[in-house]
Amino acid sequence: MLLQRRISRCLIRVVPFLVVFYIVFSTQNGVPPDPPPKNSTRLTGETQEPFSGSLTAIVPVTRSSLPSFKDTLATLTGPSTCVTKVLVTCPEPLLAETRHAIQRAVRVASNDQQPDITLHPSPASSSSVFGTVSTLLETTDRVLVLDEDGFEGLSQRTRQSLLCPAAGNIPVGPRGVVSANHSCAIPSIQPQKAVYLLPPFTIPASLVEPADSWAAVGHVVSRSLGNKLGGLIQSFGDVDSRHCGRQLSSLDQWQTPRPPFAEMYAPSNGELGVFVFLLPSRNIMNLILPMICAMHETGHEVKVMLYSEVRASSAVWGSSTCYLQYESFGERNEEAVMLHRMQDWMEQQDQRADVVFALNELPRLAAWNDGTTLIRIPREDLQFSHWMGTLSLREWLHWNVPRIDVSVITQDRPQSLQRLLASLSRGRFFGDTVNIRLNLEQSSDIETIRIVRDYMWKHGSVFTHRRVVQGGLIPAVVESWYPHSDDEYGLLLEDDVELSPLFYVWVKLAILHYRYGEQRDSSRNLFGVSLYQQKNTELHPEGRKAFNARSLFAEHKIKNPATPYLSQVPCSWGAVYFPEHWREFHNYLANRLSEAKMEIGQNVVPDVRSNNWSRSWKKYMIELVYLRSYVMLYPNYGDFASFSTNHVEVGSHVKERPKEKQDAFRVPLIELDEVWRVLDELPGKSLPPYEALPVVNLTGFLYE
Ligand SMILES: *[C@@H]1O[C@H](CO)[C@@H](O)[C@H](O)[C@H]1NC(C)=O
Ligand SMILES: *[C@@H]1O[C@H](CO)[C@@H](O)[C@H](O)[C@H]1NC(C)=O
Ligand SMILES: *[C@@H]1O[C@H](CO)[C@@H](O)[C@H](O)[C@H]1NC(C)=O
Ligand SMILES: *[C@@H]1O[C@H](CO)[C@@H](O)[C@H](O)[C@H]1NC(C)=O
């Protein structure tokens, strides 16, 4: 076995394919300055007249696109094409197979006006996005630029618009980055102005210049046309914006001018570590550049291995505030081969990695355990992961330690339950296992039971629990969760709560920072993390009063009124409770209910309205918090934006549902596309030291 592995490793070493590139990524001047507009070109697909000159298609073939290549070719040579010439490029080793595929396609083609098809080897290291064929484009009028995905995911009409484009001097295609806000175009039949297009698109041959990225192509176009326009995006009924929506949106946020990351996201100070990023390709790396660069600027040693990157080109964007080196195998490999090669590469590094960051789609990587902290993130969460760039080495090393259990408490509000579960499913969990416990009261109705039965949860296990004797709200909540270890945290959710898709970001960030970060930031007094922002204080003896943390802090001249803060009020509308404190609460409650030391009706906390609450677990939690000076962490985003909200629905505590009451408690949720807010609105763009957090008492007064 071992011998076999040695041999296969040797074989791999024989192929001296490790290509090393240097790239410079900038956080400044990412977008070239716009020339003044000249109004020289008309917008919209320009004219609807079909284009009448010669049209050349460029089709790159790679190992992974070879199987679908014949479909691409069939589309290009089909009956309704205006393509007059097809230039196929592929790496040397694929020449024979590609030639075969072409021959087969020509044989079955029914069109007598067949375009010419020629095949061109592409060297492993070409830095032009047009490949090596740009010199062959002189005799053509317009070029149809494809990437290895061909026409995949495009509607018939969009394909047609590419195969027989309308006349005009602007590049046009269904995918790209819009100039309005530098984010990915949402497919639309209305033409949208682009900073640059992504393949497939058609472009006048006169605008084709060697360029090393699609962004650079857009720059050439807008410079040549002098109208700030890198192309037009027009799509006819495509449902999928795969290229863009998922892969580019954060890249483009990143490319818009921002100050250097070191200034933006004050890194937690502390020790420095060695981080290895194992990623498939440059596109994927681009999604997490903000994170990688932030860590690089912090001073961590950052190494990037792109194991399936075939493009041997590099991108240079402006100045050099973030200078990264990546290595690549220069070709795609089977997973097993890749793992061997990655392992070899890791062994060759002079420093041992503290943290290895990879995608969770390599199942065998999970078993690869050499003592480093392995972090595996789903591809679809990468573009929401920039917040990880502020984690300190200690926090990174504890990434896999805390476990957050979700405990849902429900009875007979099926619509509410459905809404809560749907919001949970929309959450982003960054590859973490999150188990759910669904607690049903004895009196739960059939609809509620059906919803529970049908709920699918893909991030962990679902445990259901139903009472046989009605418990009432105190046991329903208090018994809904109990920690197994000191690294288990309980997110308690009554069913009238709804979550932000980013709630887990806030929870994980806060728990890593205040529980596993620097010693000075951990306090025994912190008993939980609220997802919800207080908009009212309920505990004044006179009744509810409006509460606004930002104005309170501004009044008291606190340096940054937008800081998260500590409050003694336990939140019951979406909050995580810490294990030691929850166990203590169980003991406290058992004692208190037994009336061994004092009568149940006696007050513990002077002058708070909760003394008059009956059947409330929170009343007793308030007592414990008061006796022990415990505090809960609260978010403090603009407009009360929160990671959970409460819909104030009729239930055990709420008898009717006046609009005024709903308005008093409902807060906006931080949505997925607002992920930047999570850090951007924090003072210094990261969680403050524990000592710097303002503290508010049960009735909303600031401790000074
Ligand atoms: C540019 O074109 C727009 C729309 O066609 C027109 O409203 C505007 O007056 C033009 N501007 C100049 C400077 O010609
Ligand atoms: C960017 O602008 C486009 C069109 O102007 C719009 O549809 C899209 O929602 C915007 N995206 C963001 C993230 O603001
Ligand atoms: C609390 O309840 C007591 C007895 O039921 C009552 O006398 C008192 O007025 C109530 N206090 C408030 C603030 O509602
Ligand atoms: C909160 O602080 C204020 C001002 O110091 C005080 O009057 C109030 O009694 C405190 N509330 C509680 C519940 O201790």
Side-chain angles (χ1 to χ4, degrees):
M1 185 59 207
L2 190 65
L3 184 67
Q4 203 180 354
R5 185 156 165 250
R6 283 237 172 89
I7 292 173
S8 74
R9 279 209 201 175
C10 288
L11 281 177
I12 294 158
R13 278 223 177 89
V14 176
V15 188
F17 229 125
L18 207 66
V19 191
V20 180
F21 314 107
Y22 289 90
I23 47 172
V24 180
F25 291 99
S26 163
T27 50
Q28 291 175 320
N29 312 326
V31 173
D34 292 318
K38 284 193 197 146
N39 239 16
S40 61
T41 338
R42 273 191 295 157
L43 271 192
T44 72
E46 293 192 64
T47 76
Q48 285 314 303
E49 286 162 42
F51 149 87
S52 57
S54 55
L55 177 64
T56 300
I58 306 180
V59 188
V61 175
T62 60
R63 169 78 51 207
S64 63
S65 75
L66 201 50
S68 60
F69 170 58
K70 64 172 190 329
D71 299 333
T72 307
L73 211 51
T75 308
L76 286 169
T77 59
S80 51
T81 178
C82 302
V83 174
T84 45
K85 206 164 164 191
V86 179
L87 303 179
V88 180
T89 67
C90 73
E92 295 268 2
L94 297 182
L95 274 176
E97 281 169 85
T98 309
R99 187 175 300 116
H100 269 119
I102 295 174
Q103 283 163 351
R104 275 198 304 277
V106 171
R107 232 177 289 135
V108 299
S110 52
N111 182 2
D112 33 316
Q113 296 246 298
Q114 275 283 325
D116 295 336
I117 305 177
T118 54
L119 177 61
H120 307 265
S122 52
S125 59
S126 155
S127 68
S128 170
V129 291
F130 294 116
T132 46
V133 292
S134 43
T135 52
L136 303 174
L137 300 174
E138 276 155 17
T139 57
T140 193
D141 299 313
R142 204 169 173 95
V143 182
L144 167 56
V145 181
L146 295 167
D147 64 8
E148 55 194 66
D149 292 328
F151 296 94
E152 218 180 289
L154 296 178
S155 72
Q156 202 52 42
R157 234 187 113 190
T158 300
R159 289 173 186 219
Q160 201 49 44
S161 73
L162 291 163
L163 292 169
C164 284
N169 64 351
I170 302 182
V172 184
R175 293 170 178 150
V177 169
V178 292
S179 34
N181 48 20
H182 283 242
S183 62
C184 242
I186 294 160
S188 155
I189 199 158
Q190 286 305 321
Q192 307 179 65
K193 296 183 188 180
V195 198
Y196 60 92
L197 298 176
L198 293 163
F201 60 87
T202 67
I203 178 171
S206 58
L207 295 179
V208 174
E209 278 182 28
D212 59 17
S213 67
W214 301 119
V217 176
H219 185 47
V220 168
V221 170
S222 69
R223 201 186 53 213
S224 311
L225 299 178
N227 61 359
K228 283 187 165 184
L229 200 59
L232 282 180
I233 303 170
Q234 196 171 19
S235 153
F236 302 92
D238 305 303
V239 282
D240 184 8
S241 59
R242 205 167 49 94
H243 272 71
C244 215
R246 291 225 277 281
Q247 298 198 352
L248 275 167
S249 50
S250 62
L251 168 63
D252 293 301
Q253 299 241 30
W254 155 254
Q255 282 189 342
T256 53
R258 281 167 162 271
F261 273 92
E263 277 168 36
M264 286 179 61
Y265 300 118
S268 321
N269 33 28
E271 305 155 76
L272 299 176
V274 180
F275 289 78
V276 170
F277 289 83
L278 297 177
L279 301 168
S281 64
R282 242 178 53 198
N283 281 348
I284 297 293
M285 177 180 69
N286 283 341
L287 293 176
I288 54 167
L289 268 181
M291 182 218 301
I292 303 182
C293 284
M295 296 175 56
H296 182 71
E297 283 171 35
T298 305
H300 295 298
E301 179 80 25
V302 174
K303 301 178 178 201
V304 184
M305 160 58 78
L306 304 183
Y307 50 80
S308 286
E309 176 60 62
V310 287
R311 275 180 306 183
S313 59
S314 61
V316 178
W317 288 320
S319 66
S320 57
T321 51
C322 176
Y323 176 81
L324 282 178
Q325 178 186 340
Y326 71 78
E327 299 193 36
S328 143
F329 294 141
E331 60 176 12
R332 293 187 189 182
N333 290 297
E334 294 296 312
E335 189 191 338
V337 180
M338 212 158 64
L339 280 178
H340 281 315
R341 295 184 65 172
M342 286 196 295
Q343 208 158 358
D344 276 354
W345 177 76
M346 300 264 293
E347 282 166 13
Q348 286 158 19
Q349 303 303 305
D350 42 4
Q351 294 151 299
R352 192 175 149 281
D354 294 300
V355 175
V356 174
F357 182 106
L359 296 187
N360 70 347
E361 51 200 58
L362 304 175
R364 298 186 203 205
L365 186 62
W368 173 19
N369 191 344
D370 66 346
T372 59
T373 299
L374 178 62
I375 293 172
R376 300 166 71 239
I377 306 283
R379 194 181 275 244
E380 63 270 20
D381 289 349
L382 288 178
Q383 58 177 312
F384 308 108
S385 61
H386 75 290
W387 57 276
M388 293 165 76
T390 64
L391 298 179
S392 69
L393 178 61
R394 277 177 79 99
E395 291 161 26
W396 277 107
L397 293 176
H398 287 88
W399 178 266
N400 296 313
V401 177
R403 209 186 83 198
I404 289 128
D405 295 332
V406 175
S407 189
V408 173
I409 298 111
T410 189
Q411 179 172 338
D412 57 359
R413 293 185 290 198
Q415 279 94 22
S416 310
L417 177 65
Q418 187 103 55
R419 181 182 52 212
L420 170 62
L421 294 180
S423 71
L424 261 172
S425 294
R426 281 194 300 272
R428 298 286 171 160
F429 298 93
F430 302 88
D432 283 3
T433 298
V434 175
N435 298 330
I436 293 194
R437 190 179 151 122
L438 300 172
N439 300 281
L440 293 142
E441 187 51 281
Q442 182 272 326
S443 55
S444 290
D445 57 320
I446 292 173
E447 184 61 7
T448 298
I449 291 168
R450 186 192 63 75
I451 291 168
V452 166
R453 189 192 63 203
D454 294 347
Y455 187 54
M456 303 289 281
W457 174 246
K458 57 178 189 189
H459 303 283
S461 65
V462 180
F463 178 89
T464 52
H465 175 268
R466 188 178 174 198
R467 286 188 160 270
V468 66
V469 174
Q470 185 80 5
L473 211 56
I474 294 181
V477 173
V478 179
E479 294 178 8
S480 74
W481 174 75
Y482 197 79
H484 174 232
S485 77
D486 284 352
D487 295 311
E488 273 181 26
Y489 299 80
L491 171 58
L492 307 187
L493 299 168
E494 286 178 46
D495 56 14
D496 54 356
V497 168
E498 185 182 358
L499 297 167
S500 147
L502 295 169
F503 83 89
Y504 196 77
V505 172
W506 169 248
V507 170
K508 184 113 183 185
L509 197 62
I511 287 184
L512 285 175
H513 192 71
Y514 295 117
R515 294 277 295 183
Y516 299 94
E518 304 308 318
Q519 207 61 49
R520 60 176 183 277
D521 285 333
S522 302
S523 165
R524 261 290 295 164
N525 287 355
L526 188 64
F527 73 92
V529 178
S530 174
L531 314 189
Y532 178 85
Q533 278 203 55
Q534 294 170 286
K535 215 170 153 182
N536 291 282
T537 52
E538 295 174 276
L539 296 175
H540 286 284
E542 316 85 84
R544 184 192 321 148
K545 282 193 181 164
F547 176 81
N548 183 331
R550 287 191 171 196
S551 349
L552 177 71
F553 299 160
E555 254 169 54
H556 285 81
K557 310 264 181 309
I558 285 185
K559 193 159 151 246
N560 193 334
T563 176
Y565 61 96
L566 303 171
S567 163
Q568 289 207 278
V569 180
C571 174
S572 57
W573 295 337
V576 171
Y577 287 85
F578 293 174
E580 305 90 342
H581 305 82
W582 193 254
R583 278 196 214 103
E584 186 182 15
F585 177 50
H586 260 248
N587 292 341
Y588 176 79
L589 193 60
N591 271 317
R592 184 82 165 87
L593 295 178
S594 75
E595 301 192 72
K597 300 266 160 56
M598 62 190 286
E599 280 171 37
I600 196 76
Q602 257 181 285
N603 292 345
V604 172
V605 190
D607 301 330
V608 288
R609 210 156 65 112
S610 56
N611 288 336
N612 270 29
W613 294 348
S614 59
R615 294 184 299 125
S616 162
W617 68 276
K618 222 163 105 172
K619 165 181 169 175
Y620 301 107
M621 189 61 157
I622 287 167
E623 294 177 0
L624 177 68
V625 161
Y626 178 80
L627 293 171
R628 292 269 192 272
S629 309
Y630 286 161
V631 284
M632 179 169 250
L633 180 75
Y634 277 78
N636 185 5
Y637 292 90
D639 297 326
F640 296 99
S642 297
F643 299 96
S644 69
T645 186
N646 179 283
H647 289 275
V648 195
E649 278 154 340
V650 177
S652 300
H653 284 314
V654 185
K655 296 304 167 217
E656 86 269 70
R657 198 183 167 200
K659 178 151 182 338
E660 170 271 326
K661 187 154 186 188
Q662 280 192 26
D663 292 344
F665 292 115
R666 211 185 280 174
V667 292
L669 293 173
I670 297 184
E671 293 301 334
L672 206 49
D673 57 7
E674 299 176 303
V675 63
W676 293 88
R677 287 182 74 180
V678 176
L679 292 185
D680 280 1
E681 290 188 25
L682 296 177
K685 319 266 181 195
S686 66
L687 284 175
Y690 187 80
E691 283 306 313
L693 299 169
V695 186
V696 169
N697 78 1
L698 286 168
T699 38
F701 290 89
L702 192 68
Y703 280 105
E704 302 201 62

